[in-house]
Amino acid sequence: MGKVSQVDKHEAGVLAPEGNFRRNALIALLGGAALTGFAGRSRAEVSSSVDKVPLQFALHMQYLSTNYLQFLIYGDNRQLPAQHIRGGELSGDAGVVAQNLQQVKFPATAERILQSRIQEIADEHWYQTLTIRGMLRADCVAQTFIDYRPEAFTQMFRMAGAIGPNDTFSPYTSPTNCLLGADVFLSVQASTYASILASMTDPVAMAMMMSMAASIASNVTSVRSMLYDLADSNPQLIVMMDKLAAWRDAIDGTSTTDRGMSPVTGADGNVATRLTVVDADGCYLARSPQQALNVLFMTSASVTKGGFFPNGINGGIVSSAAN
């Protein structure tokens, strides 16, 4: 019998011991009251709160990253299924099942180490998606069409100058490329969750989002760390990461929302890495949902569709900012 993944256990209705451990650790970290309340009180209370709109936007971010990570690790039929992408809880508008994804091969021993790290991130995102849906219940928004084709990534990488104007980029051709693709989605997601937290008022929803924001920020650092290690034999990766970050920072307005990965030399002459995406105070750089759509729609204008979302998204926030 093959190894059962965390996602398989979840679908079978079995809560893995690791799930209990993580939940208990989060309760301890956040003081217990909020997350214990989340387990015991009606989730419908949250769905009717003023936090519905940011949670709906967060759900779209989860759809975007979860489908990508699940498919590139597990392959066919591991994108989010119909029951997890529809509008509402038990019925509602049907979501658009993710297409044009490809599984990535990890043939070498060193690459399989990367695979195990990405798999953990993929499974975390699966659980996070279902948790947000559980909070929203009847207010869940349906997944719209997401363009995962290499052409969509190529468009962004060309705009950023990360590849030449006639070059193409596919995140599915190598472990290195799939990490670059993962950074595209996770970096935007982490910065947006940092921003969303400031607008939330429901203590249960806020505790959940605090935990998820910390988890995804950690995932971004992990992906950047893996790419930094790979840059030992391929220095161009640092250049690509710097250009992508600079483009994101420019297209979503004048505030600083991103940072590159080139090491910096301090006043003491020592070289320091830049694996975390934080400001001078050590706080995670944040971008509003509207700024996130600037990046994902690939435009500095105020529009309702484009880039990875050719038909736009659902919910209370659907437009990018006018920059």
Side-chain angles (χ1 to χ4, degrees), residues 13-307:
V14 177
L15 180 61
E18 293 87 349
N20 286 323
F21 174 81
R22 289 181 182 177
R23 180 181 179 279
N24 291 337
L26 292 174
I27 289 175
L29 175 65
L30 299 176
L35 283 180
T36 302
F38 170 55
R41 96 185 213 195
S42 170
R43 295 179 183 177
E45 294 179 44
V46 176
S47 69
S48 62
S49 78
V50 293
D51 294 333
K52 178 178 71 174
V53 171
L55 285 175
Q56 288 176 330
F57 189 84
L59 185 57
H60 276 296
M61 297 299 97
Q62 290 294 145
Y63 289 155
L64 178 69
S65 57
T66 302
N67 286 308
Y68 174 78
L69 292 166
Q70 284 287 317
F71 205 101
L72 69 84
I73 287 293
Y74 295 111
D76 290 342
N77 300 318
R78 293 307 291 262
Q79 66 268 59
L80 288 164
Q83 67 267 31
H84 296 332
I85 60 172
R86 64 175 164 231
E89 183 177 14
L90 300 177
S91 62
D93 294 336
V96 181
V97 177
Q99 303 173 28
N100 302 313
L101 291 148
Q102 300 174 39
Q103 187 174 14
V104 176
K105 298 185 182 302
F106 297 82
T109 300
E111 292 172 338
R112 287 195 290 274
I113 294 175
L114 299 179
Q115 180 182 20
S116 66
R117 294 177 180 177
I118 300 170
Q119 180 175 331
E120 181 178 11
I121 296 172
D123 288 348
E124 286 178 6
H125 277 256
W126 180 280
Y127 294 130
Q128 290 163 354
T129 301
L130 300 191
T131 298
I132 293 179
R133 287 189 62 88
M135 294 286 282
L136 285 168
R137 302 193 70 172
D139 291 317
C140 285
V141 288
Q143 176 174 291
T144 58
F145 173 70
I146 303 173
D147 189 355
Y148 288 109
R149 296 174 305 147
E151 289 83 353
F153 288 90
T154 293
Q155 179 184 355
M156 175 179 283
F157 278 57
R158 285 178 178 174
M159 292 176 71
I163 59 175
N166 297 317
D167 295 334
T168 59
F169 176 84
S170 171
Y172 311 115
T173 56
S174 70
T176 298
N177 279 15
C178 87
L179 284 169
L180 287 167
D183 180 73
V184 166
F185 296 147
L186 296 180
S187 62
V188 175
Q189 187 177 8
S191 60
T192 306
Y193 282 18
S195 172
I196 283 175
L197 280 170
S199 69
M200 301 188 75
T201 59
D202 186 285
V204 175
M206 187 182 298
M208 179 195 71
M209 286 303 298
M210 284 174 58
S211 175
M212 288 191 185
S215 173
I216 296 169
S218 175
N219 292 338
V220 172
T221 302
S222 294
V223 169
R224 287 165 69 98
S225 178
M226 287 184 270
L227 286 166
Y228 189 84
D229 290 340
L230 291 168
D232 281 343
S233 58
N234 184 7
Q236 182 63 21
L237 289 176
I238 300 292
V239 177
M240 294 178 71
M241 290 287 286
D242 286 351
K243 289 186 175 181
L244 286 164
W247 175 79
R248 291 192 297 260
D249 192 40
I251 202 169
D252 65 8
T254 57
S255 60
T256 301
T257 57
D258 225 308
R259 64 184 293 179
M261 207 167 68
S262 288
V264 295
T265 302
D268 57 2
N270 292 325
V271 176
T273 60
R274 293 199 301 170
L275 300 181
T276 56
V277 189
V278 297
D279 61 18
D281 296 321
C283 297
Y284 208 87
L285 291 175
R287 56 169 50 90
S288 69
Q290 291 81 4
Q291 289 178 306
L293 291 179
N294 285 124
V295 177
L296 299 174
F297 290 168
M298 305 184 203
T299 178
S300 60
S302 177
V303 299
T304 57
K305 59 184 178 180

